[in-house]
Amino acid sequence: MWVRRACVGASLLVGAAAVPFTTRSSTDTFPPSRHSFVPQEDYIPPPTNLQLKQVLVFVRHGDSSGIIEFDANREFWAQQLPDQSILDLANELNPIEYSAPDAPREQDTSPRARLTKRGVAECVSLGSALRRRYVDFGDFMSPFLKPSELIAYSTNTSRTQHSAQMILMGLFPDISRTREHWTIPVVIRSAARETLLPNGDGKCGLLFTLLDQIFAEAPGALQAYPGYDNLEEKVRSVVGYRGAIPWAQLREIITCHDVYDRPLPDGVNREFIDQVIDFNTWLWDSWYVHPDVQMLSIGRLINETLEMMKGSVNGTSPVRMGLFTTHDNTIFPIKKFFEIPNHNWPLYASTIVLELAQDTHSHTHFVRVLHNDRVVLQKGTEWLRWDEFHKKLRQINVDDEEYQRICSGKPGSESGMAAAQVFATMR
């Protein structure tokens, strides 16, 4: 099974002793979930005339326990969490490095919103797939960990931090690490400097205003969704909502329960689950179609991406791979910006990869975009010239100073601020 291949066979060194690394007990099994991405073996490398220079990987965290927790399920979710020994080993190999003294967003909330055993397996599997593509194949990256070649970022939540750690453990297992280069940190930024979350510190006044407008128009806009009235009636009948339906919360609950086949109210079947997820996808798609929302949501991340790639193009940066572990509300606008069809909700451990390569003859740089192993054409071509790709990124990129200036405008109403806070904390 794919989980067995992903999780068995690596080991983590503790002192001088080799301890088998397993993410599950001998009785645990994790068949593939329709809500998670499983890397395939059909990756197509760049043509022989293109030499990889840099790879940037944006990934949603792995499977996690429910964000919306209630006491009746607390014991069940606690049983889905990985052993503490696995997390301790992950912290040894890939310590969390705070660039600011912000406390973690989640304290004393376990088992809510935590990476599960299944999520650990997914992330190790993803890291192993990245190793096969970018380390074992060719000479793009050193087979032994070189910290100068790799940088890893995560948002300040346990599920993304643990996801990043597990990906790195699959990418560079202990046998590929030396005593000199034993660790690679996962870097966490302050809320004010967080580029991996839209409005991470909740202080962007202009985004408040934009969301205020979107929410104000929502009653009429929702009717544009085919079959919305029937869906709303069904949701109210089955779930019992009286006021405004918290669609994101509903999607969150039923997705977690669907993955683990947990009891749900009568009438909540596979068709119902798919309808709710499809509507959430359509709704978020309608939000992120706005260039200003894209800019204020991921503009700084795009700027960071641009600067990192420019460093490689100019030969001033040794970074070969950047790993950005985040949430669905960041993956979603990235998909929208790169015109990746939003046919489904961002899967657990799903990826968007930017491959920067150089032609060995003309020395011209090109970029390819992949979403879950599939090439995404940019302006009708697989490999877009760097100058054209650079121009595309500049459509919405903003540096931190410009972002702070724009966001310091007058906030919207209290309802808009509440909507923005919900928006900023959705995963």
Side-chain angles (χ1 to χ4, degrees):
M1 298 180 63
W2 65 274
V3 172
R4 181 179 299 277
R5 292 199 303 271
C7 302
V8 179
S11 64
L12 301 179
L13 293 182
V14 183
V19 180
F21 171 43
T22 176
T23 62
R24 55 181 178 83
S25 70
S26 59
T27 57
D28 288 331
T29 57
F30 302 116
S33 164
R34 71 192 188 102
H35 298 288
S36 299
F37 169 61
V38 180
Q40 303 300 310
E41 299 300 328
D42 56 354
Y43 168 76
I44 301 176
T48 56
N49 66 303
L50 290 182
Q51 182 179 28
L52 276 178
K53 306 298 289 185
Q54 192 176 75
V55 173
L56 303 184
V57 182
F58 303 89
V59 57
R60 186 189 178 196
H61 59 78
D63 178 81
S64 65
S65 56
I67 287 182
I68 310 301
E69 183 50 52
F70 32 93
D71 292 339
N73 286 329
R74 183 170 295 275
E75 182 177 352
F76 170 81
W77 288 118
Q79 294 171 354
Q80 309 311 312
L81 304 188
D83 294 339
Q84 185 59 45
S85 60
I86 296 297
L87 302 182
D88 290 342
L89 290 169
N91 286 326
E92 178 187 341
L93 287 178
N94 307 112
I96 303 301
E97 180 180 287
Y98 288 91
S99 59
D102 287 12
R105 283 174 171 262
E106 299 153 340
Q107 300 183 75
D108 302 323
T109 61
S110 185
R112 182 172 68 86
R114 293 296 194 268
L115 190 71
T116 61
K117 298 174 186 177
R118 177 190 290 272
V120 168
E122 292 168 350
C123 292
V124 173
S125 176
L126 174 58
S128 298
L130 293 174
R131 181 176 181 83
R132 289 192 297 273
R133 295 171 190 179
Y134 301 118
V135 179
D136 296 341
F137 181 85
D139 59 355
F140 172 60
M141 295 183 72
S142 169
F144 295 96
L145 176 63
K146 291 179 64 175
S148 62
E149 289 188 342
L150 176 64
I151 190 166
Y153 293 104
S154 167
T155 61
N156 196 11
T157 67
S158 65
R159 61 190 180 278
T160 49
Q161 292 172 10
H162 291 157
S163 293
Q165 290 175 319
M166 299 303 165
I167 293 170
L168 292 172
M169 288 163 66
L171 180 60
F172 284 101
D174 67 303
I175 57 175
S176 65
R177 304 189 185 208
T178 64
R179 292 189 180 278
E180 180 182 5
H181 296 145
W182 181 246
T183 65
I184 185 73
V186 176
V187 179
I188 313 298
R189 277 82 67 95
S190 69
R193 296 293 182 265
E194 180 59 81
T195 65
L196 284 170
L197 274 178
N199 197 20
D201 61 357
K203 296 180 179 180
C204 185
L206 181 57
L207 184 56
F208 289 165
T209 302
L210 292 176
L211 288 169
D212 210 11
Q213 295 171 354
I214 292 173
F215 272 72
E217 297 169 359
L222 295 181
Q223 308 305 318
Y225 181 76
Y228 174 78
D229 290 337
N230 291 335
L231 178 61
E232 179 183 11
E233 182 180 354
K234 186 174 183 179
V235 167
R236 294 190 185 282
S237 173
V238 171
V239 184
Y241 288 127
R242 294 182 179 276
I245 297 175
W247 290 103
Q249 182 187 95
L250 177 61
R251 174 193 51 77
E252 165 66 29
I253 293 173
I254 62 178
T255 296
C256 288
H257 281 63
D258 188 43
V259 171
Y260 289 91
D261 197 25
R262 298 293 291 164
L264 287 165
D266 291 340
V268 179
N269 52 22
R270 179 63 61 84
E271 179 183 6
F272 178 89
I273 292 171
D274 288 344
Q275 288 175 340
V276 172
I277 294 176
D278 288 347
F279 175 72
N280 271 259
T281 303
W282 174 87
L283 183 60
W284 282 37
D285 193 65
S286 66
W287 291 348
Y288 287 117
V289 73
H290 301 278
D292 288 341
V293 174
Q294 291 181 18
M295 179 189 68
L296 294 176
S297 298
I298 60 170
R300 287 187 300 170
L301 178 58
I302 293 297
N303 184 70
E304 186 175 16
T305 299
L306 182 61
E307 293 303 313
M308 193 173 292
M309 297 180 83
K310 283 168 60 177
S312 180
V313 169
N314 298 332
T316 58
S317 171
V319 174
R320 290 300 185 102
M321 178 177 289
L323 176 66
F324 302 84
T325 311
T326 184
H327 308 257
D328 54 6
N329 64 331
T330 303
I331 296 296
F332 213 104
I334 297 176
K335 288 180 65 176
K336 194 67 178 175
F337 177 67
F338 287 115
E339 300 177 84
I340 300 171
N342 286 313
H343 294 316
N344 54 31
W345 195 260
L347 302 173
Y348 292 124
S350 61
T351 61
I352 297 172
V353 177
L354 308 182
E355 294 182 339
L356 174 68
Q358 185 177 32
D359 190 295
T360 55
H361 303 296
S362 68
H363 303 296
T364 302
H365 287 81
F366 296 85
V367 179
R368 177 169 71 169
V369 180
L370 300 101
H371 172 53
N372 291 348
D373 296 342
R374 297 292 180 261
V375 172
V376 181
L377 298 182
Q378 300 295 302
K379 296 190 175 182
T381 185
E382 178 177 352
W383 290 93
L384 187 64
R385 285 176 56 99
W386 164 247
D387 56 347
E388 290 296 318
F389 190 80
H390 181 280
K391 186 183 301 182
K392 178 176 178 64
L393 294 190
R394 287 184 60 83
Q395 291 175 5
I396 66 166
N397 85 298
V398 288
D399 61 23
D400 192 70
E401 182 178 355
E402 179 69 5
Y403 173 83
Q404 299 296 339
R405 186 192 66 77
I406 293 173
C407 287
S408 63
K410 182 179 179 181
S413 67
E414 291 184 3
S415 62
M417 294 177 68
Q421 290 165 0
V422 171
F423 180 84
T425 55
M426 289 179 182
R427 64 174 193 154

